[in-house]
Amino acid sequence: ELKVEQNPLFLSMQEGKNYTIYCNYSTTSDRLYWYRQDPGKSLESLFVLLSNGAVKQEGRLMASLDTKARLSTLHITAAVHDLSATYFCAVDIPYSGAGSYQLTFGKGTKLSVIP
Amino acid sequence: EAGVAQSPRYKIIEKRQSVAFWCNPISGHATLYWYQQILGQGPKLLIQFQNNGVVDDSQLPKDRFSAERLKGVDSTLKIQPAKLEDSAVYLCASSQVRGHAGEKLFFGSGTQLSVL
């Protein structure tokens, strides 16, 4: 069974600071997603990482994937209050015999950026 | 482009009652998913459809949950009878065919279910 672990689960940081959220997973995969969820809202796709060494950046967020270490990171640069949300990583693995993929989510990292 | 539509937005029922949720995916998306998100946790896949066929229902509690996707478009998820532990947000998502390109999933706003 695939396990996806994020840490930290809770993160409180001041505006202007940098920090990294980590996502470890337990089985081979080269497809990893990051999603953002605001309170009471649905999930919004941030990044899709499809190969070892993939790096994607959008604004103050940068995501990377190391498939050999089974690790993805989401780096936050110079945080601002608008980034406060819960961030989920999700790992895609082939679903046996179905020719499709099953997406498994981590528990999420709740980020609070304090002005 | 219209997003994934879900209804109702909220539902409160008593245990042992039944409830149904409806989802209309993005037009042209062949794959539809139902996820259960318990407070404080990540979404858990319940069932995945490809057009109107079930691809994966391994985590669906089949003794009480059922889902269908008639004509490969809209879908309904039913719980009968509901238990207290079914209280959660039920998210519907859709994507184009999940091949090697790693297509994104687009999520609806969800239905928040409270079982009393």
Side-chain angles (χ1 to χ4, degrees):
Chain A
E1 180 189 342
L2 172 63
K3 291 191 185 334
V4 181
E5 294 185 351
Q6 288 182 237
N7 73 83
L9 297 182
F10 298 93
L11 175 57
S12 181
M13 56 191 297
Q14 288 188 316
E15 279 193 332
K17 298 292 187 183
N18 303 333
Y19 209 82
T20 301
I21 298 170
Y22 297 88
C23 174
N24 290 91
Y25 53 98
S26 62
T27 194
T28 302
S29 174
D30 57 1
R31 298 158 60 116
L32 189 138
Y33 302 73
W34 283 95
Y35 283 85
R36 168 181 171 145
Q37 187 175 38
D38 291 290
K41 305 287 187 181
S42 193
L43 286 90
E44 173 193 356
S45 177
L46 293 175
F47 300 109
V48 181
L49 303 168
L50 298 178
S51 62
N52 186 40
V55 177
K56 295 276 183 75
Q57 182 164 5
E58 178 81 28
R60 300 174 188 273
L61 300 177
M62 183 174 72
S64 66
L65 178 61
D66 181 344
T67 59
K68 294 179 181 178
R70 298 179 185 173
L71 170 69
S72 180
T73 60
L74 180 65
H75 187 72
I76 303 155
T77 302
V80 292
H81 180 67
D82 286 351
L83 290 179
S84 297
T86 298
Y87 293 85
F88 293 94
C89 66
V91 178
D92 234 357
I93 55 171
Y95 181 66
S96 177
S100 186
Y101 288 81
Q102 183 181 83
L103 195 63
T104 300
F105 284 80
K107 289 189 175 181
T109 297
K110 185 172 182 179
L111 172 65
S112 298
V113 181
I114 303 165
Chain B
E1 177 183 80
V4 177
Q6 287 189 249
S7 67
R9 186 74 177 89
Y10 303 94
K11 191 72 177 179
I12 301 174
I13 61 172
E14 294 187 348
K15 60 183 180 184
R16 291 188 290 273
Q17 286 187 322
S18 60
V19 64
F21 313 126
W22 173 82
C23 172
N24 182 250
I26 292 173
S27 177
H29 280 191
T31 311
L32 185 146
Y33 316 77
W34 284 102
Y35 281 85
Q36 179 193 58
Q37 187 176 19
I38 293 172
L39 186 66
Q41 297 184 21
K44 183 184 89 170
L45 179 68
L46 293 176
I47 189 166
Q48 176 178 337
F49 292 94
Q50 184 81 6
N51 297 309
N52 61 348
V54 175
V55 172
D56 178 7
D57 63 357
S58 57
Q59 299 187 90
L60 186 74
K62 298 181 186 64
D63 57 334
R64 297 185 299 105
F65 285 66
S66 64
E68 60 182 9
R69 189 183 185 197
L70 299 177
K71 300 180 182 178
V73 183
D74 293 7
S75 177
T76 55
L77 176 70
K78 297 179 182 177
I79 307 174
Q80 182 179 12
K83 292 185 175 181
L84 296 177
E85 59 260 36
D86 297 332
S87 295
V89 175
Y90 291 84
L91 294 165
C92 179
S94 70
S95 70
Q96 296 180 354
V97 175
R98 299 282 301 293
H100 295 285
E103 289 87 358
K104 294 186 296 188
L105 272 65
F106 294 84
F107 284 83
S109 298
T111 296
Q112 185 170 330
L113 174 67
S114 297
V115 182
L116 306 178

